[in-house]
Amino acid sequence: MDVSFDGVRYTYPGGVEAVKGVTLAIPSGQRFAIVGQNGAGKTTLVRHLNGIFQPTEGTVHVGDWTTTGHTIAELSAKVGYVFQNPDEQLFARRVIDDVAFGPRNLGFDLDRAEALVAAALEQTGLSAEAETHPHHLSLSERKRVALAAVLAMDTPIVVLDEPTTGQDERGVRMIATIVEKLQSEGRTVIAITHDMDFCAENFERTVVMAQGEVLADGAPSEVFIQDAVLEKARVEAPQLARLADALGWASRPLTVDSFVDSLPAHRR
Amino acid sequence: MSTTLFDNRKSVIHRLNPVTKLIALLAIIVIVFAIPLWWVAGIIIVVIVVPAAVISGSGGRLLKLSLRILLPILLVLFIVQGLTFPGGTTVIWQWGIIDITSEGLLFALGVGSRIVVLVLASMLLVLTTHPGDLMSALSERGMSPKFAYIISSTLQLIPAFRVRADSILLAQQARGLSLKGSPFRRIKIMLPLLSPLVLGMFTDVEERSTAMEARAFGSTAKRTALIPVPDSTVQNVSRWVLIVLALAAVATPIVLGLL
Amino acid sequence: MIDLADVSYAYPDTDHYVLSHVNLKVEPGTVTGIVGASGSGKTTLAKIISGFIPHVDGGELSGSVVVDGATIADVTLSEAVSHVGLVIQSPFNQISGAKFTVREELAFGLENLGVAREEMAERVTAVAELLGITGLLERSPYALSGGQQQLVAIASMIIMNTPVLVMDEPTSQLDPGGTRMVFDVMSSLRDAGITLVVFEHKLELLREHADIVHVLAESQLIASGPSRAMLADPRLEKWGIGSTRFTAAAAAARDRKLLSKDAELPVSLTDAVPEFRAFAAKKGA
């Protein structure tokens, strides 16, 4: 499902303008990442997708809907949103109940809901914790419960707000696998992240935001070479891009394989 | 997000020692409730509360906030007492079976004027005194730090938890929960969502108390305060005068045989 | 400065030992990094070093814990916290709730200790400047974003000036710029003689700022070493910790005989540049 932002501006009731005219079209099935400093307006922007915020100016389209015409609950059938802080999302006494909450609200029949819940727990490595109280889990596990709860809603669009924070290596890999799987099913993945390596390796398009505006938009390989933009947005390039830069290379490989492949060419 | 009603200005009223303001408030309340004459309350409003509000610069907000509290109370009070006051014989207005008696209205005026003083004066204290300053001032006068902590943290954490409750509700709407329908239905939906938050609060309190210990909350040293509490001899004298006035007010009706 | 000998611990009402036979020695004036997968017991170990286990949480603790000369089990919690400070994982819970501005929040611990007003004011100013939060001093601690709250939480412990400071994932809510700043602050505290123990996932920054790194896995401190050697250790994969892309790229280059087998694997950018530059300088095969 396509989504688009057309000239979106958002001013908080206090008067702070967090989004200053953003226009973006995200086609169906894209893996789309937004990077930028804390306070750059990333979360404010994506919260327009499920109607938590309505634009002060401009419009937001989700499929053939304009978000202004729909409630958060209605939009939830199209947009799954994983909050950054799981403690702002989880409420049930058992992991499985929390994960089943979305599918139940969306009125899925029992078989489908059960299958979705089981699959979501499996993908997030939580099958063994189905009966556990979320409060007894670690922060990184609670974050994965929050992710599973949204995966189980089977929405065409999935929004992830800082999915990898606090995750160990295994957790980050699990999330990367999920992103890939979502795309293979034709679903759109929109993620906010501070983890540039995760971004470079798993997303086909990256947008850099600073002070409510989009400064760069393109494939990670096109974005992470724009030093002036990265500096202005105070974004650090992925590790291997920084290494290539330090070595004086013209190209900026983003994965281990592409870096090693380009090595021979850089022998003097 | 503002967590208090405090209206940050630099007036003389704002800069008074919080304890002076607290004693003034208590004295005023004691006086108007001890002396059962409506014009005493009237004089206090005109001579003390209104000028103080004007000087503080917070008069506008005081009016707005107080009206919101007072209007419904006063309306109900005058209607009910005007109509149903048992000793009412002097009918000043009649319509069908409804009699409004002047005794009833006078009684309503007596009670109403006190409520007006109570609300105006309390709100003025709240608007011109930062709760943190009030706590520091009371701690300085020997209130236990644990008690001060309980009061301050309640004032602080309730709004903080309200924010969290809002976000949990929002998150459930984002998972397809519809909050449409009667208020009763909404409460039925919201209760199970928010009960874990309350339980979580207790777990958080445990962790928070751990963190507090790491910052020497259990220390037995004599505590100091970062922000000095302003005070003066004039204020000190005034506080004693106010206490004496309040005591006198309690004695007056007895002495004058008004009771 | 820190000496844990044969420490084992099980939480109340469980017979599962989260940590078993842990030994840890930390030299004064160093930064020690501790890495471990989720659930490896990092938070538990942080609480043991800082005395909250056994003084607050119950459970079964054995072995000896000595920090800054104090045997933690034998002193009161009040005394323990004068030797060692703990930055807990959740900044929301580190904020006391007792104070209405960040300025007073930072001074809270010093007020409890009875520090003189002028000195408090100076220390508040200094720590706020150190962490770049001067602009937040008059705000309510609860009106801040998660990242800002995390900086306030860290500052509220640094200001206590304990000889030992333990930090449990102190940069989880910060952006890369904020994270770098916090690590730089750790280094400057070390230079001022403070001993730091930091539990973190961010391997590149640990390499740059930690002197020694320990690995927590299988309920034990299973390995340790200087930061570069330890963080490039291939066994980290098995322990669920992973490696930086610098390490991974150099290892892959070695496998393809593009780097010599004797080259020490890099962990950070600074390590990697000379290794690959040396390679580039060599004549092509």
Side-chain angles (χ1 to χ4, degrees):
Chain A
M1 188 172 285
D2 298 354
V3 302
S4 66
F5 300 90
D6 287 315
V8 171
R9 288 178 174 274
Y10 183 80
T11 306
Y12 278 96
V16 178
E17 194 177 24
V19 177
K20 299 173 185 163
V22 168
T23 299
L24 285 169
I26 306 166
S28 195
Q30 194 165 57
R31 285 169 293 162
F32 181 92
I34 307 177
V35 301
Q37 251 190 306
N38 281 348
K42 309 182 297 292
T43 298
T44 311
L45 180 71
V46 296
R47 284 191 173 192
H48 281 80
L49 290 172
N50 61 350
I52 290 180
F53 292 133
Q54 294 291 355
T56 312
E57 216 177 279
T59 48
V60 178
H61 292 281
V62 172
D64 47 13
W65 283 4
T66 305
T67 56
T68 22
H70 298 275
T71 63
I72 301 174
E74 286 164 359
L75 283 159
S76 71
K78 297 182 189 281
V79 181
Y81 189 107
V82 187
F83 285 67
Q84 186 188 347
N85 181 353
D87 299 333
E88 294 180 357
Q89 181 181 330
L90 303 179
F91 69 94
R93 285 177 178 77
R94 296 187 308 165
V95 166
I96 193 165
D97 297 333
D98 221 304
V99 176
F101 182 77
R104 256 190 11 226
N105 283 325
L106 295 175
F108 294 168
D109 65 60
L110 208 61
D111 287 349
R112 183 172 174 219
E114 260 174 30
L116 283 168
V117 170
L121 289 175
E122 167 89 49
Q123 285 178 60
T124 49
L126 291 166
S127 299
E129 307 292 347
E131 305 291 327
T132 310
H133 195 301
H135 230 105
H136 296 148
L137 296 175
S138 70
L139 179 68
S140 62
E141 288 168 315
R142 291 204 298 281
K143 274 196 80 113
R144 280 187 273 129
V145 177
L147 171 60
V150 168
L151 291 177
M153 290 163 64
D154 202 17
T155 51
I157 297 154
V158 176
V159 182
L160 310 169
D161 195 347
E162 306 276 6
T164 61
T165 47
Q167 296 295 327
D168 60 8
E169 176 74 6
R170 195 171 134 260
V172 175
R173 272 202 209 133
M174 222 178 267
I175 293 164
T177 310
I178 288 168
V179 169
E180 199 178 318
K181 182 165 179 298
L182 287 170
Q183 191 201 27
S184 72
E185 295 164 358
R187 294 154 78 180
T188 311
V189 186
I190 299 170
I192 292 174
T193 185
H194 285 317
D195 184 340
M196 300 307 153
D197 294 294
F198 172 72
C199 169
E201 290 165 6
N202 298 290
F203 291 82
E204 48 192 315
R205 182 169 163 204
T206 299
V207 150
V208 179
M209 280 187 77
Q211 284 151 15
E213 288 177 272
V214 170
L215 297 191
D217 178 0
S221 57
E222 297 158 8
V223 167
F224 288 120
I225 203 159
Q226 301 181 36
D227 297 329
V229 166
L230 299 182
E231 191 163 324
K232 188 172 175 210
R234 301 199 41 204
V235 163
E236 207 168 64
Q239 290 179 348
L240 294 174
R242 280 189 280 137
L243 178 56
D245 181 34
L247 293 170
W249 296 9
S251 66
R252 299 286 160 84
L254 297 175
T255 63
V256 169
D257 285 343
S258 65
F259 181 87
V260 178
D261 288 345
S262 351
L263 262 178
H266 288 93
R267 187 171 270 185
R268 223 170 291 154
Chain B
M1 186 189 73
S2 166
T3 54
T4 68
L5 286 173
F6 178 60
D7 185 26
N8 196 0
R9 289 171 197 270
K10 299 263 177 279
S11 80
V12 185
I13 307 289
H14 283 77
R15 278 182 283 129
L16 282 178
N17 185 308
V19 175
T20 308
K21 283 186 268 189
L22 188 64
I23 289 182
L25 171 67
L26 294 175
I28 286 174
I29 293 172
V30 168
I31 290 169
V32 296
F33 279 87
I35 305 176
L37 300 166
W38 68 266
W39 50 263
V40 172
I43 289 175
I44 284 177
I45 293 173
V46 174
V47 177
I48 300 174
V49 181
V50 171
V54 171
I55 294 168
S56 74
S58 302
R61 284 195 62 186
L62 176 68
L63 193 69
K64 237 167 66 186
L65 281 168
S66 307
L67 276 182
R68 221 182 292 162
I69 303 171
L70 286 172
L71 266 184
I73 299 179
L74 293 181
L75 216 65
V76 170
L77 183 72
F78 276 87
I79 293 171
V80 173
Q81 296 302 344
L83 294 181
T84 64
F85 190 65
T89 48
T90 325
V91 177
I92 50 174
W93 193 69
Q94 195 174 27
W95 186 70
I97 53 158
I98 297 170
D99 293 337
I100 290 186
T101 65
S102 61
E103 287 85 354
L105 285 183
L106 213 59
F107 181 81
L109 186 65
V111 177
S113 59
R114 289 164 175 181
I115 294 175
V116 171
V117 172
L118 176 72
V119 170
L120 283 179
S122 312
M123 291 308 291
L124 189 60
L125 175 80
V126 171
L127 282 171
T128 62
T129 312
H130 197 288
D133 295 341
L134 181 59
M135 286 305 127
S136 309
L138 290 174
S139 305
E140 213 172 55
R141 285 186 162 65
M143 185 173 71
S144 108
K146 293 215 160 68
F147 186 73
Y149 172 72
I150 290 167
I151 305 274
S152 314
S153 61
T154 310
L155 283 173
Q156 282 264 65
L157 288 171
I158 286 175
F161 278 107
R162 208 188 57 203
V163 168
R164 181 155 286 187
D166 285 347
S167 65
I168 286 183
L169 279 178
L170 208 60
Q172 306 330 316
Q173 287 169 269
R175 291 203 270 159
L177 177 73
S178 168
L179 285 180
K180 283 181 184 161
S182 67
F184 181 70
R185 179 176 172 269
R186 291 174 56 139
I187 290 170
K188 223 178 88 186
I189 293 171
M190 279 157 66
L191 273 183
L193 292 183
L194 298 181
S195 60
L197 179 74
V198 176
L199 292 179
M201 252 166 81
F202 290 108
T203 326
D204 278 357
V205 164
E206 214 170 277
E207 196 180 38
R208 185 167 292 113
S209 65
T210 302
M212 299 261 295
E213 291 299 338
R215 293 164 73 195
F217 193 56
S219 154
T220 47
K222 184 171 174 1
R223 284 177 163 71
T224 46
L226 178 68
I227 314 282
V229 182
D231 205 0
S232 60
T233 323
V234 179
Q235 287 194 55
N236 196 13
V237 173
S238 317
R239 285 195 289 268
W240 285 109
V241 171
L242 284 162
I243 291 169
V244 171
L245 281 177
L247 291 175
V250 175
T252 309
I254 302 166
V255 174
L256 297 182
L258 279 169
L259 280 182
Chain C
M1 198 61 173
I2 300 176
D3 193 350
L4 270 61
D6 202 27
V7 167
S8 299
Y9 178 73
Y11 274 97
D13 310 321
T14 62
D15 47 11
H16 165 68
Y17 276 80
V18 184
L19 297 174
S20 75
H21 308 293
V22 167
N23 293 291
L24 170 68
K25 272 194 165 54
V26 173
E27 295 301 317
T30 56
V31 174
T32 296
I34 300 185
V35 295
S38 300
S40 59
K42 297 195 294 288
T43 297
T44 308
L45 184 55
K47 283 183 170 178
I48 289 174
I49 299 173
S50 50
F52 290 98
I53 293 173
H55 286 293
V56 179
D57 296 357
E60 198 71 33
L61 178 70
S62 60
S64 96
V65 179
V66 179
V67 180
D68 190 26
T71 304
I72 294 299
D74 296 346
V75 300
T76 62
L77 182 59
S78 283
E79 197 197 323
V81 301
S82 70
H83 296 284
V84 49
L86 171 66
V87 176
I88 61 171
Q89 220 183 70
S90 155
F92 182 75
N93 287 344
Q94 181 112 39
I95 305 285
S96 72
K99 298 296 180 181
F100 292 79
T101 62
V102 170
R103 182 188 296 282
E104 292 170 88
E105 177 66 30
L106 294 178
F108 176 76
L110 302 182
E111 290 183 343
N112 292 335
L113 291 173
V115 173
R117 183 169 292 148
E118 299 71 32
E119 190 191 333
M120 271 197 282
E122 275 168 31
R123 280 163 75 172
V124 168
T125 311
V127 81
E129 209 157 290
L130 186 67
L131 285 160
I133 52 175
T134 305
L136 305 177
L137 283 175
E138 306 312 324
R139 304 260 300 270
S140 159
Y142 288 105
L144 305 178
S145 71
Q148 291 169 330
Q149 257 178 13
Q150 192 151 42
L151 293 176
V152 171
I154 294 169
S156 76
M157 283 315 304
I158 289 178
I159 202 171
M160 302 303 287
N161 218 355
T162 48
V164 178
L165 190 56
V166 179
M167 300 190 181
D168 190 4
E169 298 198 22
T171 65
S172 59
Q173 306 205 27
L174 298 174
D175 55 21
T179 303
R180 265 188 196 281
M181 181 191 64
V182 167
F183 273 94
D184 288 341
V185 166
M186 287 183 214
S187 287
S188 59
L189 291 173
R190 181 228 353 242
D191 296 344
I194 309 264
T195 306
L196 291 108
V197 179
V198 54
F199 294 80
E200 257 293 350
H201 289 299
K202 293 169 184 164
L203 305 187
E204 186 189 3
L205 287 157
L206 275 180
R207 158 65 188 121
E208 286 171 10
H209 296 271
D211 302 298
I212 301 280
V213 170
H214 295 260
V215 177
L216 194 53
E218 296 159 23
S219 334
Q220 284 182 322
L221 284 176
I222 209 162
S224 69
S227 64
R228 177 164 179 178
M230 189 69 254
L231 291 172
D233 193 312
R235 291 174 298 171
L236 291 188
E237 206 65 45
K238 178 178 82 188
W239 293 323
I241 294 148
S243 58
T244 67
R245 270 67 174 176
F246 303 115
T247 310
R254 264 199 202 172
D255 289 348
R256 284 160 63 172
K257 309 226 170 352
L258 292 168
L259 277 188
S260 106
K261 274 269 177 279
D262 339 312
E264 201 188 344
L265 288 174
V267 176
S268 68
L269 179 68
T270 329
D271 298 337
V273 170
E275 299 293 341
F276 286 101
R277 206 164 262 161
F279 161 80
K282 267 191 280 179
K283 278 262 166 63

